[in-house]
Amino acid sequence: MKNVILTGDRPTGRLHIGHYVGSLRERVRLQNSGAYDEIYIMIADAQALTDNAEHPEKVRSNVMEVALDYLACGVDPEKSVIFIQSTVPQLTELTFYYLNLVTLSRLQRNPTVKAEIQMRNFETSIPVGFLTYPISQAADITAFGANTVPAGEDQAPMIEQCKEIVRKFNAVYGETLVEPEIVLPKNKNCLRLPGLDGKAKMSKSLGNCIYLSDEPETVREKVMSMYTDPDHIRVSDPGKVEGNTVFTYLDAFCKEEQFKKYLPEYKNLDELKDHYRRGGLGDVKIKKFLVSVLQEELAPIYARRKEWEAKTDDVREILKRGCAAAERKAAQTLENVRRAMRINYF
Ligand code: ATP
Ligand code: MG
């Protein structure tokens, strides 16, 4: 069996450090591991429209932003196919067939969709397309025969739903589709990076993000205004580390050798945490350390993004080639699906 990756992002905004630790960093690592035969990275514009139907310009303009973020992070168009979802019509057709394999109550039980409905205040006015996006996501994954999906924790219910569709399809129509596995980040602090405001998830829709394209100075300002422990008022007060966003980000980003470089009076993060818990360590100091850690990780990404921003015609060409390659692959799968379903008439 081939080793194939399918993964992607919604073009609802520029990508942020939550995407980076939750999925992008892992994708680039897998891409460069040489263990994969094919890698598809999808800019999910059609999925973005399920809750942005009235804002097509927002989705359109962010397609380029997301492509730039990919290239900036080290996605290599020679090794990975970057494509735009809506340019592959086979995905829509597959979705139409899969809709029949899922019940409404099953969709309504999906915990991520439930949380997203609440976050968007849809109440009873849920767009049908939004409720069914896990089915269209199953079409995206299976169209490419992907066995590996590197994604953040919020995607686990989507992969579960996809597996159920694959099993049902194969049971009814015969062995045709590949069952995928999610690859979550190994560092558990990266599963769901909280927002700057300490809210459960850094999310484009909540505006609590550090973007990969933020200027170094903006990163500094954002970190300095971050949420810490509200009861840690004086430097001498004992502080809480759990739920303290500065420490969560340090857990996700900092490397031991960075202590020697930026904060030599501590050996590692455990020592820093112990001091904070005891009291006597101020928020400004830990924030300044976090600024250095983040700026070090983001500097090469920022520089590469600037280079690609100067040649968007090349980026458009990469996308065009990617869309054509993706369509070829999806067309093969659709042919197999139609044959299995006995709807290949001529
Ligand atoms: P939106 O608010 O429009 O849904 P989003 O910020 O949730 O945007 P998506 O495009 O839905 O981003 O998610 C893309 C990928 O990034 C998914 O694999 C998701 O799990 C991962 N991801 C998104 N936010 C985070 C986060 N805060 N921490 C870890 N992973 C994340
Ligand atoms: Mg999302």
Side-chain angles (χ1 to χ4, degrees):
M1 198 180 74
K2 275 191 170 173
N3 266 332
V4 181
I5 289 178
L6 179 283
T7 172
D9 305 273
R10 296 152 38 94
T12 48
R14 289 171 291 143
L15 299 185
H16 52 65
I17 60 171
H19 297 120
Y20 181 70
V21 295
S23 164
L24 266 173
R25 186 161 65 178
E26 191 68 7
R27 283 182 214 173
V28 173
R29 196 182 65 75
L30 296 176
Q31 167 194 275
N32 296 334
S33 74
Y36 290 87
D37 302 297
E38 292 169 32
I39 302 172
Y40 297 91
I41 304 190
M42 181 180 81
I43 304 179
D45 62 338
Q47 192 189 112
L49 285 167
T50 62
D51 58 334
N52 284 284
E54 278 140 46
H55 308 286
E57 266 318 312
K58 170 176 153 191
V59 173
R60 186 187 172 90
S61 61
N62 280 308
V63 168
M64 178 52 87
E65 297 296 335
V66 170
L68 287 168
D69 286 327
Y70 286 166
L71 295 164
C73 285
V75 172
D76 176 353
E78 298 299 320
K79 297 180 185 156
S80 301
V81 174
I82 306 175
F83 72 99
I84 307 168
Q85 185 184 24
S86 68
T87 68
V88 182
Q90 290 82 358
L91 301 177
T92 325
E93 189 173 332
L94 284 175
T95 305
F96 195 64
Y97 303 140
Y98 295 174
L99 282 168
N100 305 324
L101 305 177
V102 182
T103 64
L104 183 59
S105 63
R106 174 65 183 85
L107 283 178
Q108 287 165 333
R109 276 203 309 273
N110 183 313
T112 299
V113 175
K114 263 196 203 161
E116 289 176 339
I117 286 171
Q118 212 171 24
M119 195 177 102
R120 286 162 177 75
N121 293 321
F122 280 148
E123 286 162 22
T124 52
S125 316
I126 308 163
V128 174
F130 186 79
L131 190 65
T132 57
Y133 91 73
I135 301 178
S136 111
Q137 216 166 299
D140 304 331
I141 295 167
T142 54
F144 297 93
N147 57 355
T148 308
V149 181
E153 190 183 37
D154 63 330
Q155 292 303 305
M158 309 303 163
I159 309 302
E160 216 29 66
Q161 175 77 81
C162 179
K163 285 183 179 187
E164 286 174 29
I165 292 173
V166 170
R167 285 183 208 137
K168 179 99 190 233
F169 188 100
N170 288 348
V172 176
Y173 303 113
E175 205 61 35
T176 312
L177 303 174
V178 178
E179 239 184 80
E181 292 297 333
I182 190 167
V183 175
L184 295 169
K186 281 178 204 68
N187 179 342
K188 68 175 186 340
N189 298 293
C190 300
L191 290 173
R192 191 179 296 244
L193 201 73
L196 286 167
D197 51 1
K199 286 239 173 68
K201 180 174 173 287
M202 182 175 286
S203 162
K204 300 179 219 113
S205 309
L206 293 175
N208 55 4
C209 310
I210 294 180
Y211 293 100
L212 294 172
S213 49
D214 276 344
E215 305 269 348
E217 181 51 26
T218 312
V219 173
R220 198 187 66 78
E221 280 165 16
K222 285 184 176 174
V223 170
M224 295 317 283
S225 66
M226 256 170 81
Y227 175 91
T228 57
D229 168 9
D231 299 323
H232 186 245
I233 297 161
R234 279 176 303 267
V235 172
S236 55
D237 290 341
K240 264 205 295 293
V241 166
E242 288 69 32
N244 182 327
T245 317
V246 175
F247 280 103
T248 311
Y249 287 12
L250 283 174
D251 275 322
F253 280 95
C254 109
K255 304 180 192 91
E256 205 158 305
E257 62 265 24
Q258 287 172 319
F259 279 92
K260 243 195 227 117
K261 202 162 158 190
Y262 303 117
L263 215 53
E265 59 268 46
Y266 301 91
K267 247 205 333 275
N268 53 36
L269 195 50
D270 286 336
E271 277 191 7
L272 190 72
K273 285 181 179 173
D274 283 345
H275 192 183
Y276 194 80
R277 285 197 189 98
R278 281 200 309 274
L281 174 57
D283 283 348
V284 172
K285 189 156 179 174
I286 55 167
K287 284 180 171 177
K288 281 189 172 159
F289 177 51
L290 177 59
V291 170
S292 306
V293 166
L294 281 179
Q295 285 182 344
E296 186 176 318
E297 182 104 13
L298 297 177
I301 298 175
Y302 184 78
R304 261 198 306 266
R305 201 181 199 277
K306 284 276 168 239
E307 284 171 24
W308 282 106
E309 278 173 7
K311 35 184 196 179
T312 47
D313 282 349
D314 292 358
V315 180
R316 251 184 285 277
E317 207 42 52
I318 288 169
L319 288 173
K320 211 166 144 190
R321 263 192 285 131
C323 292
E327 185 168 357
R328 278 196 298 278
K329 175 81 177 197
Q332 283 167 12
T333 305
L334 185 60
E335 208 180 298
N336 297 339
V337 161
R338 286 171 143 272
R339 190 181 320 114
M341 293 179 73
R342 319 279 190 277
I343 52 173
N344 59 335
Y345 298 106
F346 305 108

